[in-house]
């Protein structure tokens, strides 16, 4: 509905697009190719492989505003996002499965997403994340959420109560900081938090319990 074409029928790229309120009825590749995208409010619905409004849209920079409440499955799958700005995403509660799979994110700061509870399976699979800050409200990090990145130092806040299988697999982990005692971590966190299944068994990262997040 929003795709523009030249006189030869080729899609035109949109350099900057601001959506004040996201509409669930937006169709597959409704916006064509977008370089810089801002979404200020709305619920970004679930898609599926190859079927979402921003699938393969060549997005490089994405900013989500304070009115965005959730990011659906496959929402931004297969773009070129290197800059993801969640500074104002204070209403965001859920990041869906494969929402940002196959992008180029190198730094991810979730600090300001102060209502974020769930990071879905494969949400950030196959990026280039080397710096990760998880919001102190996150409770669930689902399976393969950060598979295949470049994370060396990982800090997990006390709010996390579930770590899924392979959540941080294929990362060059060296140090894991946990804002819980070892006893609390082993007895109160569900999933695969206490096995080598959630990180590369070929690595031997240092675990720091009772870590204080500054």
């Amino acid at each position: 509905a929003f795709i523009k074409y030249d006189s030869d029928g080729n899609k035109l790229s949109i350099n900057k697009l601001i959506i004040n309120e996201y509409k669930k009825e937006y169709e597959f590749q409704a916006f064509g190719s977008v370089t810089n995208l801002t979404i200020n409010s709305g619920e970004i619905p679930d898609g599926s492989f190859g079927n979402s409004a921003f699938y393969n849209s060549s997005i490089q920079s994405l900013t989500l505003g304070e009115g965005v409440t959730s990011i659906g499955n496959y929402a931004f799958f297969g773009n070129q996002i290197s800059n993801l700005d969640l500074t104002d995403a204070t209403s965001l509660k859920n990041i869906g499965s494969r929402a940002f799979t196959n992008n180029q994110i190198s730094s991810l700061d979730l600090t300001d997403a102060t209502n974020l509870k769930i990071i879905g399976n494969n949400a950030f699979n196959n990026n280039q994340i080397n710096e990760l800050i998880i919001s102190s409200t996150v409770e669930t990090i689902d399976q393969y959420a950060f598979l295949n990145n470049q994370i060396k130092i990982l800090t997990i806040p006390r709010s996390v109560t579930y770590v899924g299988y392979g959540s941080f697999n294929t990362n060059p982990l060296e140090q894991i900081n946990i804002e819980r005692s070892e006893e609390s971590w082993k007895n109160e966190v569900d999933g695969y938090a206490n096995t080598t299944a959630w990180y590369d068994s070929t690595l031997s990262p240092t675990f720091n319990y009772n870590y204080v997040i500054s």
Side-chain angles (χ1 to χ4, degrees):
F2 294 84
I3 299 176
K4 296 182 179 181
Y5 297 88
D6 62 19
S7 58
D8 296 322
N10 299 311
K11 291 181 182 179
L12 293 174
S13 296
I14 301 173
N15 180 52
K16 186 175 183 180
L17 176 64
I18 299 174
I19 300 174
N20 286 322
E21 183 178 0
Y22 193 93
K23 304 294 185 182
K24 290 184 178 181
E25 60 267 24
Y26 290 149
E27 298 177 351
F28 168 63
Q29 287 189 325
F31 302 91
S33 179
V34 181
T35 303
N36 299 285
L37 173 65
T38 297
I39 302 175
N40 288 322
S41 67
E43 178 180 341
I44 303 171
D46 290 343
S48 58
F49 181 74
N51 183 22
S52 65
F54 292 104
Y55 174 80
N56 196 25
S57 292
S58 302
I59 300 167
Q60 296 177 21
S61 179
L62 173 63
T63 300
L64 299 180
E66 62 181 347
V68 175
T69 56
S70 68
I71 302 171
N73 302 341
Y74 289 91
F76 299 100
F77 183 100
N79 279 276
Q80 300 170 20
I81 299 171
S82 59
N83 179 41
L84 176 59
D85 186 351
L86 300 177
T87 304
D88 295 323
T90 54
S91 300
L92 182 63
K93 297 177 181 178
N94 174 65
I95 299 175
S97 300
R98 299 186 186 275
F100 293 99
T101 294
N102 292 352
N103 277 278
Q104 299 173 18
I105 300 166
S106 60
S107 178
L108 180 61
D109 187 349
L110 301 174
T111 304
D112 295 311
T114 52
N115 280 292
L116 182 62
K117 302 293 185 185
I118 300 172
I119 301 175
N121 76 73
N122 289 279
F124 293 95
N125 181 357
N126 199 28
N127 276 268
Q128 301 170 17
I129 299 170
N130 55 56
E131 183 178 358
L132 172 64
I133 303 176
I134 300 172
S135 168
S136 60
T137 59
V138 170
E139 297 175 356
T140 296
I141 301 174
D142 216 337
Q143 64 180 2
Y144 302 122
F146 293 96
L147 176 71
N148 196 23
N149 278 278
Q150 299 298 317
I151 302 167
K152 291 184 178 180
I153 299 176
L154 172 64
T155 299
I156 300 179
R158 184 175 180 83
S159 58
V160 173
T161 57
Y162 179 88
V163 178
Y165 182 86
S167 296
F168 297 94
N169 205 357
T170 321
N171 279 275
L173 286 169
E174 297 176 356
Q175 181 176 321
I176 299 174
N177 303 318
I178 298 172
E179 198 184 26
R180 284 176 178 265
S181 67
E182 184 173 2
E183 180 181 3
S184 173
W185 179 254
K186 291 182 176 179
N187 295 326
E188 299 174 23
V189 179
D190 294 326
Y192 294 83
N194 301 309
T195 71
T196 56
W198 66 285
Y199 66 87
D200 259 329
S201 59
T202 57
L203 302 175
S204 298
T206 300
F207 282 79
N208 294 323
Y209 296 99
N210 294 307
Y211 185 81
V212 178
I213 299 176
S214 58

